[in-house]
Amino acid sequence: MFLKRSNLFRSFVGLLVMFTICVAGCSNTTKDQENASDKEKTKVVTFSWPGDIGDLNPHTYFPNEFFSQAMVYEPLVYYGEGGEIQPWLAESWDISKDGKEYVFHLRKDVQFSDGSPFNAEIVKKNFDTVLDNRKQHEWVELINQIKSTEVVDEYTFKLTLNNSYYPTLQELTYVRPLRFVGEAAFPDSQNTFKDGLKSPIGTGPWVLSEYKKNEFAVFERNEQYWGTKPKVDKVVVKVITDGESRVLAFEKKELDFIFGNGVISQDSFQFLKNSGKYETKLSEPTATRTLLFNTNNEATKDRKVRLALNHAFNKQAVIDNIFYGMEAKADTLFPPVLDYTKINVDPYEYDAAKAEQLLDEAGWKKVQGKPFREKDGKELQLEFLFNSTDNIQKSIAEFVQGDFRKLGIDIKLTSQESNTFWKTAFQGKYDLLFTSTWAVPFDPHSYLAAITTDSENGSPDYTALLGLPEKKEIDQKIKKVLLTTDEKERKMLYTDILMTLHEQAVYLPISYQSNVAVYHKNISGVDFLPQEVEVPITSIDVK
């Protein structure tokens, strides 16, 4: 009897254990399914950038990237389509009759990503830390014009200028340096330029959640964001310096989209477009690709040499063979569609014979049996500096090297990654520099203003143009055009400045550049924003 009860008990226990395992298993399966379901609900998009995002400080420059700063920090006003200045962190503003006082009425529903308040006090604090380092920011003429900042009340901020300055609102839209960090982001010294931030705290739609220098950055949606929230939950930015590697990663679906200028070659863009597998877009022209000549160096100091180089450059061949006709030939420093930039010039057309004549007149003669021209026993060698992470610059630089050799000019190519490139450019250690204008909202006024100052965060053009006899006169006219309130005089001054720069041949405009976008068919919302430097991450969605 006992044996029978024992066997029954064992059978019961066995069944109980099996039931428990089954229940536990089912429970775990349910949890796994729930976790999988949660993962499926999380929307993540991935793209790449040629360099690191930097330390995400809106009050500083390199190695920070415009696009990542714009993800986290916001302006008082926004540069909208067609140049319309739109309310942003300021919902409205008043301007005094003399144009010297701006009173901004701030939104009351904004807070920083750490929950701290956005108000006039923190606006003033941000302005003041920027103004404490005026020299670093004086390429922005507004910085030079600010006389005082004032908290009128909790949500009212007043800016007083030394003079009426017509681009004031336009310059307040810039991604840097006049955007706002939260109180907890300030270092103990309160000087954000010299000592950096404790953490990147902004009011923008994104928050940095994970970061590994020179490898990747992960941004999560700011759930406290006051505006329209992003459609995806996370953005992963991978650092990929090489364009072909970027294309390969995209084809392998390691990247959801490619966006920007120079991030891939035009060859690659055409290949991806023609494959029919992906969506592709090309923006309207934004800025001018150009070569800048260093007027301080022996050869390029000579206007005849600069003219010769302009005539020696076969723009149409570049546009046909490198750009596949996607970009229009540029004959002026700025696209003529911008305010004050349409000027009537005699373009420097491609003319190899004219180039040779000018080089002869400049004293650079061909020597029998030698490949390169000489003057006083010295070969005509020009150092051409370009950005190694820009795939288009590399292609054009190699084209120039081959084409100029036919005229007896030895082009030494020097490629450097972004940070080193800009340091070398500001030091003036080159003869030819590959650069571009800045696009809206910077062109033409801020680009020209930067020519007048040696601010290390402005433009290498200041140093490059120091060898011009007309430099002082050009600077005076630029400073005058920024402050005049007479529209007729302003137009005349801009025309005079741009005509002088053209006649001096210090720039070699190549083409009017565009942004490219390539994305997988499950991605939507990829469009071009008014500021060329911004990536449309907030509007992007993934199926």
Side-chain angles (χ1 to χ4, degrees), residues 382-449:
L382 303 176
E383 184 168 5
F384 188 165
L385 178 64
F386 66 95
N387 192 328
S388 62
T389 62
D390 189 308
N391 294 268
I392 293 173
Q393 288 189 16
K394 182 176 184 291
S395 298
I396 295 176
E398 290 171 348
F399 172 86
V400 168
Q401 185 181 50
D403 224 34
F404 280 23
R405 185 182 181 91
K406 300 172 188 174
L407 300 176
I409 306 170
D410 181 18
I411 298 293
K412 177 190 174 186
L413 300 183
T414 302
S415 67
Q416 297 175 340
E417 59 83 27
S418 293
N419 292 335
T420 308
F421 167 83
W422 286 113
K423 286 178 184 176
T424 305
F426 277 104
Q427 291 166 355
K429 295 179 179 178
Y430 61 88
D431 295 295
L432 284 74
L433 178 72
F434 208 127
T435 184
S436 68
T437 58
W438 298 347
V440 296
F442 304 94
D443 291 347
H445 68 282
S446 278
Y447 191 94
L448 294 176

Side-chain angles (χ1 to χ4, degrees), residues 117-347:
F118 174 80
N119 52 34
E121 287 285 355
I122 198 67
V123 170
K124 176 176 168 56
K125 185 167 184 173
N126 274 264
F127 264 82
D128 290 350
T129 192
V130 171
L131 295 174
D132 284 343
N133 296 279
R134 283 179 190 262
K135 181 63 180 174
Q136 306 296 336
H137 309 294
E138 65 181 4
W139 65 272
V140 182
E141 182 59 28
L142 176 60
I143 299 296
N144 304 319
Q145 293 302 324
I146 295 176
K147 182 178 181 180
S148 65
T149 62
E150 180 185 343
V151 174
V152 177
D153 60 40
E154 186 176 4
Y155 293 105
T156 309
F157 172 72
K158 182 178 178 181
L159 198 62
T160 303
L161 310 180
N162 294 311
N163 300 282
S164 175
Y165 180 58
Y166 85 90
T168 294
L169 291 175
Q170 199 162 324
E171 294 192 3
L172 287 174
T173 69
Y174 292 179
V175 174
R176 57 196 186 204
L178 293 173
R179 292 200 178 188
F180 309 100
V181 302
E183 180 68 41
F186 278 80
D188 294 340
S189 67
Q190 306 302 303
N191 192 317
T192 56
F193 186 91
K194 291 181 179 177
D195 298 316
L197 304 181
K198 285 186 174 180
S199 58
I201 301 170
T203 62
W206 299 99
V207 178
L208 182 68
S209 61
E210 192 178 353
Y211 169 68
K212 190 168 184 180
K213 188 174 182 180
N214 293 323
E215 290 190 25
F216 67 86
V218 179
F219 294 86
E220 292 187 0
R221 182 170 57 201
N222 178 7
E223 297 300 342
Q224 300 187 94
Y225 185 50
W226 62 272
T228 303
K229 288 185 174 60
K231 293 181 171 61
V232 299
D233 303 284
K234 284 186 181 181
V235 175
V236 179
V237 185
K238 295 182 178 180
V239 177
I240 302 177
T241 57
D242 175 63
E244 296 309 309
S245 300
R246 184 172 293 109
V247 170
L248 184 61
F250 174 77
E251 290 181 301
K252 292 165 66 177
K253 295 190 175 182
E254 294 171 4
L255 302 177
D256 293 300
F257 67 97
I258 295 171
F259 190 96
N261 179 266
V263 291
I264 57 174
S265 68
Q266 300 289 30
D267 272 336
S268 295
F269 180 77
Q270 284 297 120
F271 168 76
L272 294 171
K273 180 181 180 181
N274 294 338
S275 73
K277 298 177 182 178
Y278 315 107
E279 300 290 344
T280 61
K281 284 184 178 180
L282 187 69
S283 77
E284 291 295 316
T286 56
T288 309
R289 296 184 194 281
T290 183
L291 301 186
L292 171 63
F293 300 123
N294 190 344
T295 63
N296 301 291
N297 291 354
E298 182 183 353
T300 46
K301 189 180 186 73
D302 190 330
R303 178 172 176 265
K304 287 187 175 180
V305 172
R306 299 197 301 270
L307 285 169
L309 297 175
N310 268 273
H311 284 296
F313 192 98
N314 192 341
K315 296 179 190 178
Q316 198 58 52
V318 168
I319 288 166
D320 292 342
N321 300 315
I322 296 178
F323 295 141
Y324 296 93
M326 291 190 299
E327 295 191 3
K329 182 164 73 76
D331 292 317
T332 54
L333 179 59
F334 298 106
V337 295
L338 302 178
D339 289 341
Y340 312 115
T341 61
K342 191 172 183 179
I343 57 174
N344 295 317
V345 300
D346 293 325

Side-chain angles (χ1 to χ4, degrees), residues 494-508:
Y494 270 120
T495 298
D496 192 8
I497 293 162
L498 296 176
M499 286 297 293
T500 300
L501 292 174
H502 175 77
E503 289 163 2
Q504 289 303 315
V506 288
Y507 296 95
L508 195 166

